[in-house]
Amino acid sequence: MAHSHSHGHAHSHAHHGHQHGHGLPASGHLNKAFLLGIGLNILYVVVEAGAGWWYNSLALLTDAGHNFTDVISLLLAFFALKLSQRKPTDKFTYGYGKSTTLVSLLNAMLLLLAVGAIGWEAINRLGTAPALNGTAISIVSGIGILINAGTALLFFRDKDHDINVKGAYLHMAADALVSLGVVVAGLVMYYTGWFWVDAVMSLVIVAVIVWGTWGLLVESLRLTLDAVPHGIDLAAIRTYLEEVPGVAEVHDLHVWAMSSTENSLTAHLVVEEGYPDIQLTHIRAELRDHFHIPHVTLQVERGAEGHACTEAGVYH
């Protein structure tokens, strides 16, 4: 067994073929979900914007604008999903997974911009509310509830595996609620003739969008800056590694998201004398299964080498 310890010395990389394996059937289902969702929503945006313009309803127009940005975001999310499935190349050795976090960042910024313009218009309209057709507004939004809720259900299965799909799911679920709000506004206007309700509803929609988008913006920014992804307990990982028999010290521990679904870890393990063969395979399996990190690179250092490395670390 004397020769076996030398291989632990080099950087070693976990084989993670299985990780992509179980994702394949789901991605076929996701492709369908995205295409169907995009198709239905484009159709609805056309109908809703047309009706909003025809019936002069700002709430309908706001909602149509909102749904349109959602169509764009669905297209972007779909595009990012496709990109992230492409194999790494010599130029992009990590693959294209990061595109998913960039897209959710772009998405959040687009929404906030759209919302600003709409809010401005709604505030200007509050003083001068035109007469509106409450029934028509309610009917058009009723269709919206069905389409948005239906699209949200398409993503329900995969929403917990991917921040990008979760973004799409949350968008659609929020849209269904917003459409419900517009239905209520239409009914109120029909029965009471309070036409200012339309502009107020428009502002409520704006508030809902800002509230929902803020979280997405912050999380996307964090992942873009290679922060530790949500749901990863760095302290627990450090403790686990330090408690591995033979490991004297853990340093240069980094965890980051390679895409919106896959996390990576690198660490240096300083190993005590008398432990020729540290169980790297076991450590990797544990990090993958228990801590949900499929891509693991561990550098094993012994005695003097470990010292040199920590000394150097002081000056960084």
Side-chain angles (χ1 to χ4, degrees):
M1 282 298 281
H3 65 282
S4 69
H5 76 272
S6 59
H7 83 155
H9 215 68
H11 277 78
S12 54
H13 204 292
H15 291 287
H16 47 270
H18 68 279
Q19 195 64 18
H20 304 289
H22 78 163
L24 291 176
S27 66
H29 159 77
L30 263 179
N31 284 351
K32 279 204 197 75
F34 270 112
L35 290 172
L36 189 60
I38 289 165
L40 279 173
N41 280 279
I42 287 176
L43 196 65
Y44 181 60
V45 165
V46 172
V47 170
E48 193 178 24
W53 181 77
W54 182 255
Y55 293 112
N56 196 19
S57 161
L58 189 63
L60 276 184
L61 280 172
T62 308
D63 198 33
H66 174 208
N67 281 314
F68 180 65
T69 58
D70 281 354
V71 169
I72 303 275
S73 65
L74 278 179
L75 280 165
L76 287 172
F78 183 54
F79 175 63
L81 179 81
K82 284 275 166 251
L83 258 185
S84 65
Q85 288 168 350
R86 287 176 62 174
K87 296 281 170 279
T89 64
D90 288 348
K91 268 227 169 64
F92 295 90
T93 55
Y94 276 123
Y96 298 87
K98 243 334 188 338
S99 59
T100 51
T101 55
L102 284 174
V103 160
S104 47
L105 182 63
L106 189 66
N107 197 348
M109 287 159 72
L110 268 178
L111 267 174
L112 291 174
L113 277 172
V115 154
I118 288 165
W120 184 246
E121 171 66 16
I123 289 167
N124 288 340
R125 219 183 229 216
L126 276 175
T128 57
L132 300 166
N133 184 329
T135 320
I137 292 171
S138 289
I139 290 168
V140 174
S141 289
I143 300 167
I145 296 179
L146 295 175
I147 288 183
N148 289 316
T151 311
L153 283 176
L154 293 175
F155 296 114
F156 187 76
R157 231 169 76 173
D158 300 287
K159 71 177 181 354
D160 294 329
H161 307 311
D162 186 340
I163 182 187
N164 219 17
V165 176
K166 189 176 187 174
Y169 168 76
L170 288 173
H171 262 129
M172 292 301 146
D175 285 4
L177 282 174
V178 166
S179 293
L180 179 65
V182 182
V183 168
V184 171
L187 290 172
V188 168
M189 288 187 288
Y190 176 72
Y191 286 111
T192 62
W194 299 344
F195 297 120
W196 50 265
V197 170
D198 185 69
V200 169
M201 199 63 224
S202 182
L203 286 172
V204 169
I205 296 171
V206 164
V208 167
I209 301 169
V210 171
W211 184 76
T213 307
W214 198 251
L216 191 67
L217 182 71
V218 171
E219 178 66 352
S220 312
L221 262 178
R222 287 186 59 234
L223 292 182
T224 306
L225 293 172
D226 284 337
V228 175
H230 263 317
I232 298 280
D233 186 347
L234 197 67
I237 292 172
R238 183 180 288 280
T239 307
Y240 162 70
L241 289 172
E242 283 169 347
E243 284 172 0
V244 170
V247 173
E249 190 192 337
V250 176
H251 59 96
D252 286 292
L253 174 59
H254 301 284
V255 179
W256 72 101
M258 279 172 65
S259 75
S260 48
T261 51
E262 298 213 305
N263 300 322
S264 280
L265 173 148
T266 58
H268 293 201
L269 307 178
V270 180
V271 174
E272 293 161 1
E273 296 301 329
Y275 280 88
D277 199 5
I278 200 89
Q279 295 296 315
L280 291 181
T281 322
H282 175 70
I283 294 175
R284 255 191 231 103
E286 185 69 15
L287 286 170
R288 184 188 67 226
D289 302 336
H290 189 97
F291 293 105
H292 314 297
I293 302 176
H295 304 262
V296 173
T297 309
L298 299 170
Q299 180 170 321
V300 174
E301 295 157 1
R302 299 168 199 287
E305 181 193 356
H307 264 314
C309 199
T310 40
E311 292 294 298
V314 175
Y315 303 109
H316 285 318

